[in-house]
Amino acid sequence: MRTQVGIIGAGPAGLMLSHLLHLQGIESVILETRTREEIEGTIRAGVLEQGTMDLMREIGVSQRMDREGQAHHGVEFRFNGKGHRINMYELTGGKHVMVYAQHEVIIDLVKARVDRGGELIFNVGDVSLHGVDTDKPTIQFRRDKDGELEELVCDFIAGCDGFHGPSRPMIPSSIRTEYDKVFPMGWLGILAEAPPSAPELIYCNHDNGFALVSTRSPEIQRMYLQVDAKDNIANWSDDRIWSELQTRLQTSDGWNLIEGPIFQKNIVAMRSFVCDPMQYGRLFLAGDAAHIVPPTGAKGLNLAISDVRVLAKGFEDFYKSNSRDVLNRYSEICLRRVWKAERFSNYMTSMLHRFETHSPFERRIQLAELDYVTSSRIGLTSIAENYVGLPIEW
Ligand code: APR
Ligand code: PHB
């Protein structure tokens, strides 16, 4: 079997890349270890930057997002029992975000590929990469986990296989630098059947720890609580979760958190990670395969999408004008934006969470930081422009 671009992983990065390439008449094959049902059902985050939203519209996969997603023009920071609205729309000259779950984006992109006859092979096993520093790199795999060993011969390989995939280790460790920071806390996330408690997202700093109120639909709400990274979900009964959310989110003006049956809960770890470079020979990493952000800035999905925008342009220039300029600079172009998103995610995480190691002095500095950014126009603008998404600088 052969193709122009062999894509490992059907997450947002791999699926979006395949669709962008298709629109330019470039062939690709996606190999994915999980089943279609699994990738379409995994609950992840759900905030699309302005640029991600614009791209979905530009490439014709936005019908459901435009119908079911929720455009948010502002966001609230809450601390000392008081809310402060950041009017992103006004501060950024008309930009905003869309709350639309990542698995819905996956459903839309898989459908777009399948409807156009795209080749997606789910449930593969034993995926391995070969000859990535030659002109004919190959991917070996087995269908249905234990079928015959098959080979996909490619011009290029896109490693869109997430943090634990086999692509990143193919960049020799002698030329690969990995930057890593593991945070001492995790997020306990819930989905509950309830109407929204607020029209926009609430990022809340409280002495007991961070809390986040997000949404999925008029009937389903998504909320998070900072917990210890090693905590066990079995320690968190529904009553304990609601009681802790009520405590952290309480305000002095009588705001009401609406409760409802919890039907999904899990704890996610928090880390920052960057691999430099993101390319080697004919292998290009995109998304979580190359970098991870803690979820506080809502950047994970958006970074995956901006990487593949650059990569798709690189392949387009290669096939249409025989130019390797963007491909050669792929890592450099992406990492500039990645590091800024790492900075913002790290900043939001530091400003909004409780740190066991903080002295009373550091705790007061944290509150002063929140007071500053929510009362200075420059502070507000900085949060707003990062939250709606920075441009790709070519
Ligand atoms: N072979 C084929 N596919 C693989 C392999 C493998 N050996 N290993 C992993 N995969 C698949 C995973 O099953 C997953 O579906 O690669 C896909 C990677 O998708 P994501 O983890 O969603 O990564 P990415 O597309 O970069 O999107 C980043 O997803 O994890 C969230 O928070 C993250 O929002 C961010 C976004
Ligand atoms: C979500 O809705 O899941 C969500 C929203 C904002 C974040 C992270 C996750 O920062």
Side-chain angles (χ1 to χ4, degrees):
M1 216 171 140
R2 72 150 282 125
T3 190
Q4 290 176 302
V5 181
I7 301 177
I8 310 179
L15 290 165
M16 178 61 88
L17 176 64
S18 178
H19 190 61
L20 292 174
L21 293 178
H22 166 77
L23 296 175
Q24 296 302 326
I26 301 167
E27 277 171 28
S28 66
V29 173
I30 304 183
L31 301 173
E32 165 60 53
T33 41
R34 294 186 297 157
T35 63
R36 180 170 177 179
E37 293 67 38
E38 281 174 287
I39 64 162
E40 292 187 342
T42 307
I43 304 299
R44 292 255 166 86
V47 177
L48 310 188
E49 292 176 349
Q50 179 77 51
T52 303
M53 202 186 335
D54 291 346
L55 181 65
M56 299 266 291
R57 292 195 179 121
E58 220 173 283
I59 61 174
V61 293
S62 69
Q63 294 83 347
R64 238 164 40 92
M65 175 192 82
D66 284 323
R67 214 172 45 237
E68 295 167 24
Q70 300 173 52
H72 283 201
H73 289 192
V75 63
E76 179 181 323
F77 279 14
R78 189 173 287 189
F79 57 98
N80 286 338
K82 196 167 177 309
H84 304 259
R85 179 167 192 256
I86 302 181
N87 186 338
M88 294 180 294
Y89 190 78
E90 192 246 329
L91 290 159
T92 59
K95 292 186 181 166
H96 65 95
V97 296
M98 180 74 82
V99 181
Y100 187 60
Q102 179 168 317
H103 72 275
E104 306 290 1
V105 174
I106 300 265
I107 291 171
D108 297 341
L109 290 172
V110 169
K111 180 167 185 317
R113 291 309 300 121
V114 170
D115 286 352
R116 288 161 185 81
E119 187 138 20
L120 283 98
I121 312 177
F122 291 106
N123 201 26
V124 297
D126 288 348
V127 174
S128 59
L129 297 80
H130 305 270
V132 295
D133 54 350
T134 70
D135 283 351
K136 282 280 163 278
T138 59
I139 309 170
Q140 290 185 354
F141 66 100
R142 294 180 197 278
R143 281 178 211 253
D144 300 321
K145 303 288 185 207
D146 58 1
E148 290 284 298
L149 197 60
E150 294 182 44
E151 191 168 71
L152 176 64
V153 181
C154 320
D155 295 340
F156 297 99
I157 297 177
C160 303
D161 44 0
F163 185 65
H164 300 287
S167 297
R168 192 175 60 255
M170 298 308 294
I171 302 181
S173 52
S174 55
I175 64 154
R176 171 163 45 100
T177 306
E178 296 192 343
Y179 301 87
D180 203 8
K181 173 169 168 179
V182 177
F183 291 88
M185 71 284 279
W187 277 17
L188 188 165
I190 61 160
L191 283 171
E193 277 170 46
S197 297
E200 291 170 350
L201 268 58
I202 303 171
Y203 288 82
C204 177
N205 173 310
H206 184 273
D207 283 340
N208 286 13
F210 171 75
L212 171 60
V213 177
S214 179
T215 183
R216 283 294 176 267
S217 70
E219 297 83 30
I220 294 173
Q221 309 314 316
R222 178 77 165 150
M223 290 172 219
Y224 296 94
L225 272 177
Q226 174 185 350
V227 296
D228 193 275
K230 296 192 185 66
D231 209 336
N232 188 327
I233 195 72
N235 296 329
W236 288 88
S237 66
D238 293 4
D239 283 350
R240 183 176 174 209
I241 293 171
W242 285 121
S243 153
E244 198 53 38
L245 281 168
Q246 294 285 4
T247 302
R248 296 187 194 183
L249 289 159
Q250 192 177 36
T251 61
S252 42
D253 63 6
W255 178 83
N256 187 26
L257 175 68
I258 306 172
E259 300 185 9
I262 296 176
F263 61 92
Q264 205 265 352
K265 53 182 167 182
N266 66 328
I267 295 181
V268 290
M270 312 253 293
R271 78 185 307 158
S272 299
F273 173 86
V274 179
C275 170
D276 181 353
M278 291 169 57
Q279 68 193 90
Y280 175 67
R282 287 184 169 238
L283 168 67
F284 296 85
L285 306 181
D288 277 16
H291 39 72
I292 301 280
V293 281
T296 330
K299 292 287 167 240
L301 162 70
N302 297 293
L303 277 182
I305 300 297
S306 58
D307 285 352
V308 298
R309 270 186 112 133
V310 178
L311 192 50
K313 174 80 172 91
F315 290 141
E316 185 191 335
D317 289 357
F318 176 85
Y319 285 111
K320 294 204 172 143
S321 358
N322 204 21
S323 162
R324 287 178 183 243
D325 173 55
V326 171
L327 279 186
N328 288 342
R329 293 190 300 117
Y330 170 71
S331 191
E332 182 196 317
I333 297 167
C334 291
L335 285 173
R336 259 187 97 183
R337 191 171 190 280
V338 165
W339 275 112
K340 281 181 258 189
E342 292 283 349
R343 181 206 72 83
F344 180 65
S345 307
N346 191 68
Y347 172 65
M348 291 277 283
T349 304
S350 311
M351 179 165 56
L352 288 159
H353 289 75
R354 171 189 142 96
F355 288 81
E356 294 292 342
T357 52
H358 270 181
S359 64
F361 176 83
E362 287 165 310
R363 172 75 181 125
R364 294 305 292 259
I365 291 289
Q366 196 187 40
L367 291 169
E369 176 76 39
L370 280 162
D371 189 11
Y372 168 67
V373 290
T374 54
S375 56
S376 143
R377 186 158 180 98
I378 291 174
L380 289 163
T381 309
S382 171
I383 299 281
E385 80 164 345
N386 279 279
Y387 199 79
V388 300
L390 296 175
I392 299 172
E393 290 172 281
W394 303 79

